[in-house]
Amino acid sequence: MVMATVQRARFLLGTNDYYVRVINGFTDNSSVPLVIWCSSEEMDLGGRALQEHDDFSWVMRPNFWSSNRMKCTMKWDSTRKSFEAFKASRDTERCGMHRMCSWMVTQDGFYFSNDEVNWRKDFLW
């Protein structure tokens, strides 16, 4: 009920916020955390070490004057992978009416969801 009210208010007020979340979906990485570092041309969100099921989230507000992208680099043990966690031209439709852009990173790849129920593999490590 509260979420529906918040969504209605966002629609009426015209806010353009997209909620981006990256979740550590590894089943056993207690000895080696998943490290994430995210930045864009306009800002640097810094890095975090994510233990199992930890997440890193932020809000994106696409506009005419910015790059409207957030690139993240993931490091797991000696493996690295960079990806665009948010890209306005790709995600404004894909993130759905709730503007939720969620990623789950697992041993076998990177999964995307706009509801955190239905996950689709986007790419491998």
Side-chain angles (χ1 to χ4, degrees):
M1 179 73 173
V2 173
M3 185 64 161
T5 304
V6 169
Q7 291 300 327
R8 228 175 288 125
R10 278 193 204 122
F11 177 76
L12 293 172
L13 297 173
T15 60
N16 198 25
D17 294 351
Y18 287 81
Y19 299 90
V20 184
R21 183 174 183 218
V22 180
I23 304 162
N24 179 348
F26 278 69
T27 55
D28 183 22
N29 74 318
S30 54
S31 61
V32 180
L34 180 65
V35 177
I36 181 172
W37 190 284
C38 299
S39 63
S40 71
E41 291 177 9
E42 293 81 25
M43 68 179 129
D44 187 339
L45 299 177
R48 307 272 192 291
L50 304 178
Q51 296 298 332
E52 289 176 37
H53 310 295
D54 282 351
D55 70 283
F56 184 32
S57 58
W58 64 92
V59 174
M60 291 293 296
R61 291 182 183 97
N63 65 61
F64 182 75
W65 298 278
S66 70
S67 69
N68 298 311
R69 295 175 185 212
M70 184 65 65
K71 184 177 181 179
C72 295
T73 299
M74 308 295 296
K75 182 178 180 288
W76 172 52
D77 202 12
S78 62
T79 306
R80 288 180 187 260
K81 178 76 172 182
S82 292
F83 74 106
E84 289 182 318
F86 184 82
K87 180 179 177 184
S89 63
R90 175 194 68 196
D91 294 332
T92 50
E93 293 296 321
R94 179 164 93 149
C95 293
M97 64 184 253
H98 298 294
R99 298 181 180 184
M100 182 185 304
C101 314
S102 299
W103 293 93
M104 184 176 303
V105 181
T106 69
Q107 291 94 325
D108 72 328
F110 291 65
Y111 293 78
F112 178 84
S113 175
N114 62 14
D115 61 8
E116 295 191 359
V117 174
N118 302 297
W119 296 92
R120 186 194 73 210
K121 185 187 272 187
D122 254 25
F123 49 89
L124 302 170
W125 277 91

